Amino acid sequence: MSFINLKNVVKVYPDGTQAIFNSSLSIEKGELVVFVGPSGCGKSTLLRMIAGLEDVTDGEIDLDGNRINEIDPSERDIAMVFQNYALYPHMSVYNNIAYGLRSRGIKKLEIEAQVTNVSELLQIGDLLSKKPGQLSGGQRQRVAMGRAIARDPKVFLFDEPLSNLDAKLRVQVRLEIKKLQRKMGTTSIFVTHDQTEAMTLGDRLVVMNKGVMEQVGTPMEIYYHPKTKFVAEFIGTPSMNFITGSIKDKTFKASSFAIPAKYEDKDDVILGVRPEDISITKATTGVKCKVELIEKLGSSTVIYCVDMKENQLCVSTQSRASVEVGDTIHISTNNKALHFFDRETSKALTK
Amino acid sequence: MKKVQFKSKYTQYIFLAPTLIIISIFLYLPIVQTFRDAFTTQDAFGFGRFFAGWDNFKFVLSDPSYLVALKFTFIYIFVITVISCSLGLLLAVQANKVIHGKSAYKTLLIWPYAIAPAVVGVTAQYFFSERFGILYALFNSLWGFDWTANIFDAYIYLFIAGSWKQISANFIFFLAGLQTIQKSVIEASLIDCRSSLRRFWTITFPLLMPTTFFLVIINITYGFFDTFGIIDTTTIGAPSGETKTLVYKAYIDGFRGLDLGAAGAQSIIMMLLVLIITIIQFRYIERRIHYN
Ligand SMILES: Nc1ncnc2c1ncn2[C@@H]1O[C@H](COP(=O)(O)OP(=O)(O)OP(=O)(O)O)[C@@H](O)[C@H]1O
Ligand SMILES: [Mg+2]
């Protein structure tokens, strides 16, 4: 029995918008699961249903073996960190953290000990008497975390808690959240639209698209074995290259090249290759391309080029390639790193 | 943005003139006249005007009926503010929860706000008329209600008439205030606290304090000045002057009794009272309020 169970969950908003289509998911105790997907795909909706802030239209949500669909948010033993932190603006940091404990009738001394504990853990001890309005974004974020941690709930729910921080702080806090979660061992769900955040944080990812869970798996499973074209495209930067063609006699034929493909014959196939799986060859055996744009990132170089049949291709290479815009290069790829998708259903082909 | 530059230095005064003229005639001139009246007396036939020093003030302050009006004014303001603020808040909180037909509720609750005080008074008359008033009949059957004879009953008549319209005004502002509270803050409190009553007093109400403070000031001002129309169309001070507010008494003394000196002195005393109340409010109450 898993710790959190979503069974055929559906969400239709009162105005008729269907935000979540029949979705099922099991989350184990102590896991950190990340919901990731583009804006409007229903991540927050799903999270808010688990929190109890939105009604579940159909299906069931279980927590620790009990159905929680009808249980009041305050009784679910969950804590949530909001994107804008949602601190109580009229209360001091201390009271913000203590509020949930007080409402549960916990003794004053115990509350004091707990708040001190949490504020040490998050290094916000000297902010306790301040109001949220007097804090920086990063400090507010910490207080919001503190408020969640203080109650020691069964589940942490995070709705894009890092998106209001600057890039550097975001990376730092991301690490801290991961460490904290490991240390406390609390089951957590983290919502983000940032795939790097998702890959680095999650024990497992749930990639969502238009209210549907496209794929659930570990970051590596999802990266190396995307089940749909959407997942392949969404995860990884720069994005995967896609080239249309067809498979015949165990060979994939595109307009400008052909490579072995051990699949059954099929028209309308899309080949996907990650930019980092393409390399520049000295030999003239590879696909001939013309370089259109180069992005030098220091650790890697991203080369955008087009082949002779106007297929756009992106190549990412670690080596300091001495390539200039306008050059002609030859590229090739490792045959094991290829992904094939059915063009109609967008699903990965199976052997 | 393009900056407009006037050619002549005087053009700006031409644009300001209409406003300045209107303000001078209808605001500053009457103030000057009030001061003149307060410190002078006229003989009974209106021929002469003599400087009277503080005589008018001494007369007003030693007049028992003035103290009655003063007492009633404070009771009236206090009760009306409490009734109309709490009912307005209650209605706003409830209307804010409604999902279907929200605008219909809002529109219906806002309507009385658009009614002039004198019309409110006339409407109240229908309810409290001895011959056909529903509330008159109801209260009369309960405890022998008769506002023409009983002070307490006359109070009730005016409290109801005076609060009714203000409930609407308070409702609108409280509703607007509720909508400025961040949705996620309310949601965070839903997770933190089970009891909705406790949530209201610990989160919603403190966050509404700026609105409440504003409304208390508005209601006090209303109680002081805007009730003239209501009283003049309902009790007219019945049973015998106990339900006159300061404004109403100043009017009666000045325009009915033709004692402009006393009326002027009353106006100035009232101005000082309002000034003191306002200072207290801003000094001591506003400081405790959290503004977002
Ligand atoms: N209260 C609501 N009423 C009607 N439709 C809603 C409501 N809230 C969200 N939606 C719709 O449901 C869909 C999913 O919204 P949701 O907020 O879950 O997206 P999201 O994945 O969290 O996006 P983002 O990354 O932008 O936060 C969207 O199409 C949105 O328009
Ligand atoms: Mg969202």
Side-chain angles (χ1 to χ4, degrees), chain B residues 173-219:
Chain B
F173 285 104
F174 275 127
L175 193 65
L178 283 171
Q179 277 156 9
T180 62
I181 299 178
Q182 258 185 30
K183 210 173 134 240
S184 57
V185 168
I186 298 296
E187 287 174 347
S189 73
L190 277 174
I191 293 175
D192 270 346
C193 181
R194 164 107 216 210
S195 148
S196 63
L197 205 63
R198 193 184 152 92
R199 276 201 307 271
F200 177 79
W201 289 115
T202 51
I203 308 287
T204 314
F205 190 69
L207 290 177
L208 275 179
M209 273 322 271
T211 312
T212 311
F213 178 65
F214 167 76
L215 285 177
V216 166
I217 293 178
I218 293 288
N219 282 303

Side-chain angles (χ1 to χ4, degrees), chain A residues 48 84 88 90 99 104, chain B residues 184 187 189 191-192 202 290:
Chain A
R48 292 163 54 80
N84 60 6
Y88 308 124
H90 58 297
Y99 183 70
R104 283 172 176 74
Chain B
S184 57
E187 287 174 347
S189 73
I191 293 175
D192 270 346
T202 51
H290 169 83

Side-chain angles (χ1 to χ4, degrees), chain B residues 1 42 47-48 53 72 74 83 87 92 98 133 151 153 162 173 176 197 214-215 217 249 290:
Chain B
M1 229 192 349
Q42 281 175 293
F47 292 133
F72 175 66
F74 280 105
I83 292 181
L87 284 181
V98 176
I151 300 174
D153 293 348
F173 285 104
L197 205 63
F214 167 76
L215 285 177
I217 293 178
K249 186 170 163 46
H290 169 83

